């Protein structure tokens, strides 16, 4: 009988404990939903859209007056919201594309493209086959004073040009290994570069055939007006400290986007959409209680090699790097003609940012936002520093990515609202005062290659 009494007591205790857990879980879920509503009620896609409208009036190329104006606009908007915001300049080596360039072979004119950072020159010489432009391909070839024809692939465009230059070549023609026009960058300024142009696969194979048939074709490579110079770009920063001076977590969350665009493109989606969303999230969080420091940052010179985010990360102290638990990178988040929302992490593995966003997107949309491996944007320098980071972007990209058609009329307010709600609630799930934080705190060490967002390098 005693055993029965004890069993009943244990059963009663377990029932009470289970009921208590259920009640606690239910209360936590209810409180989370209540907290989430504070964000959802504030997010306003119309405000994001209006900021995109202002930013996308003209291209905002890094190092230009238009980019400075965009940075100033962002800083003033943050200041008006009540933030102590700042425009922080940094210098970089910039490139002005050639004013004119041309290619002729045996008197026939071609329609080439040029490479970012290619040098000026006017070269007439025999064209020789350089294979893929590797050191081994060129090792036993006499290319001194000649134009070297090489195919895309295996190594970067810059390496191909430097290899040919080292062997004494006067110019380089790189032809595509797939259909379509080839647009690329040599990766950065270099005094050893020689004039370089690109042609299509069809055009390159035509020249190659003539070489293989022993014709020794003569070509003229002409590039004029390219300029390499020191320039100034800008990062814009604003910080919301913990609402509770003595009870804060000491953690930091960074929300970022790049405000520059490529030449000739208004950049409504790339990336006025992300910049405007950073501003909207700064507005949403300004009056919400948080126990975590929130940093809102827009980066300059992303389109020329992630330079703004690299500069920002380079200036972080080790203490700051250790305190940053997540970086949310917003890039191209509003195009009506792009695909579905995805997240990219530099190494393709989950982290705190993807965990939070998948939880919030499941609550809001019924399914988690997928993630995949991907670089080419401002989350990469943070990942390289060991900071959990993810890019929010729609995939596949819209057809007018990096074209004059990337304009306001292509922006979807529905997509803006959806992404802002997912990111906003994910951030608040981690920064609201009553939560205890995710088990995925930090921190995977990762070193990634710099994968540029704006142009191919291979």
């Amino acid at each position: 009988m005693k055993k029965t009494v004890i069993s009943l007591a244990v059963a009663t205790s377990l029932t009470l404990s289970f009921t208590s857990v259920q009640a606690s879980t239910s209360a936590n879920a209810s409180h989370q939903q209540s907290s989430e509503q504070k964000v959802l009620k504030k997010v306003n896609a119309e405000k994001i859209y209006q900021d995109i409208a202002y930013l996308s009036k003209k291209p905002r190329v890094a190092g230009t007056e238009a980019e400075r104006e965009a940075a100033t606009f962002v800083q003033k908007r943050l200041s008006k919201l009540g933030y102590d915001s700042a425009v922080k300049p940094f210098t970089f080596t910039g490139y002005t594309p050639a004013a004119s360039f041309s290619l002729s072979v045996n008197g026939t004119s071609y329609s080439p493209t040029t490479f970012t950072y290619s040098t000026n020159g006017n070269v007439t010489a025999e064209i020789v086959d350089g294979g893929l432009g590797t050191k081994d391909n060129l090792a036993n070839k006499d290319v001194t004073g000649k134009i070297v024809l090489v195919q895309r692939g295996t190594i970067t465009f810059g390496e191909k040009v430097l290899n040919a230059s080292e062997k004494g070549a006067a110019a380089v023609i790189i032809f595509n290994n797939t259909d379509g026009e080839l647009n690329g960058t040599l990766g950065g300024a270099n005094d050893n570069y020689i004039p370089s142009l690109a042609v299509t696969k069809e055009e390159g194979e035509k020249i190659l055939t003539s070489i293989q048939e022993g014709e020794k074709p003569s070509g003229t490579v002409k590039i004029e007006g390219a300029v390499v110079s020191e320039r100034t770009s800008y990062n814009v920063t604003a910080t919301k400290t913990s609402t509770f001076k003595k009870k804060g977590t000491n953690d930091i969350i960074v929300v970022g986007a790049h405000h520059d665009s490529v030449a000739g493109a208004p950049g409504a989606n790339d990336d006025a959409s992300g910049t405007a969303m950073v501003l909207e999230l700064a507005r949403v969080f300004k009056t919400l209680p948080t126990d975590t420091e929130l940093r809102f940052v827009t980066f300059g010179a992303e389109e020329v090699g992630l330079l703004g985010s690299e500069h920002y990360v380079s200036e972080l102290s080790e203490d700051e790097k250790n305190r940053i638990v997540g970086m949310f990178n917003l890039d191209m988040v509003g195009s009506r003609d792009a695909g579905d929302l995805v997240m990219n992490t530099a190494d393709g593995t989950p982290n705190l940012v993807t965990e939070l966003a998948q939880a919030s997107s499941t609550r809001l949309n019924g399914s988690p936002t997928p993630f995949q491996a991907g670089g080419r944007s401002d989350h990469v320098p943070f990942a390289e520093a060991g900071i959990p980071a993810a890019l929010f972007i729609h995939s596949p990209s819209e057809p007018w990515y990096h074209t004059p058609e990337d304009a306001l009329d292509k922006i979807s307010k529905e997509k803006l609202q959806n992404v802002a709600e997912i990111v906003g609630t994910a951030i608040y799930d981690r920064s609201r005062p009553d939560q205890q934080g995710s088990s995925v705190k930090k921190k995977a060490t990762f070193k990634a290659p710099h994968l540029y967002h704006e142009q191919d390098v291979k």
Side-chain angles (χ1 to χ4, degrees):
M1 189 69 180
K2 185 176 181 181
K3 185 176 181 179
T4 304
V5 171
I6 292 173
S7 298
L8 286 171
V10 171
T12 302
S13 176
L14 287 172
T15 301
L16 290 172
S17 297
F18 181 69
T19 303
S20 176
V21 169
Q22 278 190 314
S24 176
T25 301
S26 177
N28 287 339
S30 177
H31 192 81
Q32 183 180 48
Q33 291 175 355
S34 176
S35 297
E36 203 164 68
Q37 286 301 314
K38 294 178 182 179
V39 174
L40 298 177
K41 287 178 180 179
K42 286 177 175 285
V43 172
N44 188 331
E46 183 62 34
K47 291 183 182 294
I48 303 173
Y49 186 83
Q50 292 305 319
D51 282 341
I52 295 172
Y54 179 87
L55 288 165
S56 63
K57 288 179 180 179
K58 55 187 175 182
R60 307 172 301 280
V61 177
T64 65
E65 177 62 18
E67 191 225 353
R68 189 193 67 78
E69 290 173 0
T72 300
F73 168 78
V74 172
Q75 186 272 327
K76 287 183 177 179
R77 289 279 282 102
L78 289 167
S79 180
K80 190 174 181 180
L81 289 170
Y83 288 95
D84 182 13
S85 58
V87 175
K88 299 188 175 182
F90 62 92
T91 59
F92 70 101
T93 302
Y95 179 79
T96 300
S100 64
F101 49 91
S102 61
L103 170 66
S104 65
V105 180
N106 289 338
T108 299
S109 294
Y110 283 65
S111 300
T113 56
T114 189
F115 293 94
T116 304
Y117 296 110
S118 182
T119 60
N120 297 315
N122 189 347
V123 177
T124 298
E126 179 188 346
I127 305 175
V128 296
D129 176 19
L132 287 165
T134 65
K135 288 183 180 294
D136 287 343
N137 289 155
L138 299 173
N140 299 315
K141 288 185 177 288
D142 177 15
V143 301
T144 303
K146 298 176 182 179
I147 299 171
V148 179
L149 176 72
V150 299
Q151 187 176 23
R152 178 184 187 178
T154 304
I155 60 175
T156 67
F157 300 137
E159 288 173 308
K160 293 175 189 288
V161 174
L162 290 174
N163 289 342
S165 174
E166 185 179 311
K167 290 285 291 183
V172 172
I173 301 169
I174 301 176
F175 67 98
N176 211 346
N177 56 3
T178 187
D179 293 337
E181 191 176 82
L182 172 55
N183 293 292
T185 176
L186 301 185
N190 192 309
D191 291 339
N192 294 319
Y193 285 152
I194 52 180
S196 309
L197 292 175
V199 295
T200 64
K201 181 174 182 283
E202 181 182 4
E203 290 171 327
E205 289 176 344
K206 181 180 178 181
I207 301 170
L208 181 60
T209 297
S210 69
I211 295 171
Q212 291 172 339
E213 292 177 351
E215 295 182 11
K216 294 187 177 181
S218 174
T220 297
V221 170
K222 189 175 182 180
I223 302 175
E224 296 179 326
V227 178
V228 175
S229 62
E230 196 78 1
R231 302 176 190 187
T232 302
S233 184
Y234 310 88
N235 288 338
V236 185
T237 64
T239 299
K240 180 184 188 296
T241 58
S242 169
T243 308
F244 309 94
K245 293 183 178 179
K246 294 184 179 180
K247 295 184 179 180
T249 63
N250 202 39
D251 294 336
I252 301 169
I253 291 175
V254 177
V255 189
H258 71 90
H259 54 245
D260 64 312
S261 73
V262 297
N269 192 45
D270 187 16
D271 185 30
S273 65
T275 299
M277 195 170 291
V278 169
L279 290 174
E280 175 62 1
L281 291 172
R283 185 190 69 81
V284 167
F285 279 100
K286 186 65 179 72
T287 57
L288 288 177
T290 54
D291 64 5
T292 300
E293 180 178 315
L294 303 181
R295 294 187 181 181
F296 303 95
V297 188
T298 67
F299 304 106
E302 188 268 1
E303 297 287 5
V304 292
L306 317 183
L307 302 184
S309 51
E310 283 185 350
H311 181 76
Y312 181 86
V313 172
S314 73
E315 292 199 321
L316 293 172
S317 66
E318 285 304 310
D319 175 65
E320 288 175 304
K321 290 176 185 177
N322 289 325
R323 290 168 55 208
I324 298 175
V325 296
M327 189 276 177
F328 292 74
N329 179 30
L330 305 170
D331 196 350
M332 302 171 65
V333 289
S335 175
R336 73 182 187 202
D337 300 301
D340 296 328
L341 181 65
V342 299
M343 294 180 286
N344 288 353
T345 62
D347 60 355
T349 62
N351 57 42
L352 179 60
V353 177
T354 60
E355 179 193 74
L356 291 170
Q358 287 197 321
S360 66
S361 57
T362 300
R363 292 193 301 270
L364 294 171
N365 301 333
S367 61
T369 300
F371 68 88
Q372 60 193 13
R376 307 197 314 171
S377 192
D378 288 315
H379 61 297
V380 172
F382 288 85
E384 289 178 332
I387 296 168
L391 163 67
F392 292 78
I393 189 170
H394 292 105
S395 181
S397 300
E398 63 275 16
W400 23 81
Y401 163 66
H402 280 184
T403 74
E405 297 302 309
D406 181 9
L408 184 66
D409 63 334
K410 312 299 192 311
I411 295 296
S412 163
K413 293 179 184 178
E414 290 75 19
K415 283 189 173 180
L416 293 175
Q417 185 76 26
N418 179 247
V419 178
E421 288 181 352
I422 289 172
V423 173
T425 54
I427 293 170
Y428 203 46
D429 187 25
R430 183 60 180 74
S431 62
R432 57 190 171 91
D434 57 299
Q435 58 82 51
Q436 296 300 313
S438 168
S439 60
V440 186
K441 185 75 173 175
K442 256 182 137 271
K443 179 173 187 180
T445 301
F446 175 76
K447 291 292 179 182
H450 296 294
L451 301 174
Y452 295 147
H453 178 81
E454 86 289 9
Q455 291 166 321
D456 293 324
V457 295
K458 289 185 179 180

